[in-house]
Amino acid sequence: MKVNRSLSTRVYRAFTLIELLVVIAIIAILAAMLLPALTKAKLKAQGVQCMNNHRQLMLAWRMYAEENRDVLLYATATIGSIYAPYSWVQGVLDYDPANESNWNPDKDIKKSPMWQYCGNSLGIWRCPADRSTVVPSTGPFAGQRVRRVRSMSMSIWVGGWMDPVAGQYDANCSGPAWRLYKKYTDMVDPGPARTWVLLDEREDKINYGNFFTDMTGYPDNSPSWRFHFDMPGFYHHRACGFSFADGHAEIKKWRDERTMTPVQEGGSWDSAPFVASPRNPDIFWMQERSTRKK
């Protein structure tokens, strides 16, 4: 009798354990090779988005000034004062779960004079790489972890701090010799293209709506350079987002490690009012783009 060989049983050979391990190892190596490129691409995308946020906020800031006789908004006004409605943003950020300013945009952001020019966009008020969160103890998000609403702060030298008792002042630092830019046309030195207005402040130092660049020692007395309460962020791989009075934005790469001390999540922003940082080139860079003597 003949046997039909075409109907004979076929033998299927599976992968051995060694072969599977080799395949997994190759996949792991390829993933490790691609990961830095993917991370770099993600950081670049966040940087582009951050600059776009800055540009949109600067457009809103400029539109307000143009519709109000060229008068600039205050970087800060004392909370509850008659000047508060003319501050670019009110409220104080911290890590207090009961502080609505941390998580509720209706508390401060939507009351900003700039809000009407923001296209109803909340996202432009924070850096996309800012991952700081808080767990509200009250309100509709009580017990849930939510992102804080703002990472942007405005230079104290642009608009200043308006207080009904002290009058307009520069946070009582650096002395009275430095210019406060009250109108857009005041920005003749160093000029709109070299005067920064907004930056991304680091999460453990952000507080009021302003950022104080201490001008002590500018331009020559570098041993006295220091940070005052505020310190810039470094969300973009050791770099920070800035926007300037002419409307352009850029990402500034920091050079000094003292500008990027470890973030103290949950810490108090007022624990160290002055942080000495002599000969720090990053401080000089910010001073150079903040104000000039009268």
Side-chain angles (χ1 to χ4, degrees):
M1 183 179 66
K2 294 183 179 180
V3 178
N4 189 345
R5 298 294 181 183
S6 63
L7 297 179
S8 61
T9 303
R10 296 181 180 178
V11 177
Y12 294 92
R13 182 174 177 272
F15 284 107
T16 66
L17 178 59
I18 298 298
E19 289 171 332
L20 287 173
L21 290 175
V22 169
V23 170
I24 292 172
I26 292 173
I27 293 173
I29 292 170
L30 292 174
M33 293 173 64
L34 290 173
L35 187 59
L38 293 174
T39 301
K40 186 177 181 180
K42 180 181 178 181
L43 290 172
K44 185 175 182 179
Q46 287 179 334
V48 170
Q49 185 180 347
C50 182
M51 286 191 291
N52 184 56
N53 291 350
H54 273 277
R55 285 191 289 265
Q56 290 187 61
L57 277 178
M58 289 310 301
L59 179 61
W61 174 79
R62 183 67 184 272
M63 290 176 68
Y64 173 89
E66 290 181 353
E67 292 187 6
N68 289 273
R69 296 172 290 115
D70 204 34
V71 175
L72 302 180
L73 291 165
Y74 301 119
T76 300
T78 298
I79 296 173
S81 73
I82 60 173
Y83 302 105
Y86 306 102
S87 171
W88 89 283
V89 69
Q90 283 285 286
V92 181
L93 298 192
D94 51 28
Y95 290 103
D96 183 357
N99 178 12
E100 284 192 52
S101 293
N102 287 315
W103 53 268
N104 184 0
D106 295 329
K107 178 71 174 177
D108 303 304
I109 289 180
K110 292 185 179 182
K111 295 178 182 178
S112 166
M114 288 169 43
W115 178 248
Q116 62 182 311
Y117 308 106
C118 289
N120 208 35
S121 177
L122 290 170
I124 64 176
W125 291 73
R126 66 192 317 278
C127 174
D130 178 5
R131 303 297 181 186
S132 62
T133 60
V134 67
V135 180
S137 59
T138 59
F141 301 107
Q144 303 176 44
R145 185 165 294 279
V146 295
R147 290 189 180 182
R148 294 198 295 182
V149 295
R150 176 172 62 87
S151 55
M152 302 282 193
S153 292
M154 183 174 288
S155 171
I156 192 70
W157 302 107
V158 179
W161 183 325
M162 193 62 181
D163 180 86
V165 177
Q168 196 174 44
Y169 65 102
D170 64 351
N172 291 331
C173 299
S174 302
W178 303 94
R179 296 178 185 271
L180 287 176
Y181 300 112
K182 303 174 186 180
K183 302 187 73 173
Y184 190 83
T185 50
D186 291 340
M187 295 182 171
V188 294
D189 188 13
R194 285 178 57 81
T195 302
W196 74 268
V197 179
L198 295 172
L199 60 58
D200 303 318
E201 189 164 359
R202 54 184 284 167
E203 65 174 83
D204 58 342
K205 293 297 183 180
I206 193 168
N207 43 74
Y208 292 90
N210 73 78
F211 185 101
F212 187 82
T213 302
D214 198 322
M215 298 300 294
T216 301
Y218 175 83
D220 302 318
N221 192 11
S222 59
S224 63
W225 290 345
R226 62 189 182 179
F227 292 104
H228 173 66
F229 280 110
D230 301 309
M231 295 185 73
F234 47 96
Y235 298 109
H236 302 290
H237 190 54
R238 303 168 61 88
C240 179
F242 280 85
S243 48
F244 292 76
D246 70 338
H248 88 274
E250 61 185 67
I251 301 294
K252 165 60 180 172
K253 190 83 170 180
W254 299 128
R255 297 170 54 191
D256 196 302
E257 293 293 335
R258 293 171 295 175
T259 309
M260 302 170 285
T261 56
V263 171
Q264 303 296 318
E265 185 175 352
S268 175
W269 53 263
D270 60 351
S271 59
F274 292 98
V275 178
S277 194
R279 298 182 177 83
N280 185 336
D282 299 329
I283 290 180
F284 179 77
W285 187 92
M286 295 180 67
Q287 289 177 329
E288 187 77 0
R289 293 160 180 79
S290 293
T291 186
R292 292 291 186 272
K293 285 192 174 181
K294 297 176 182 176

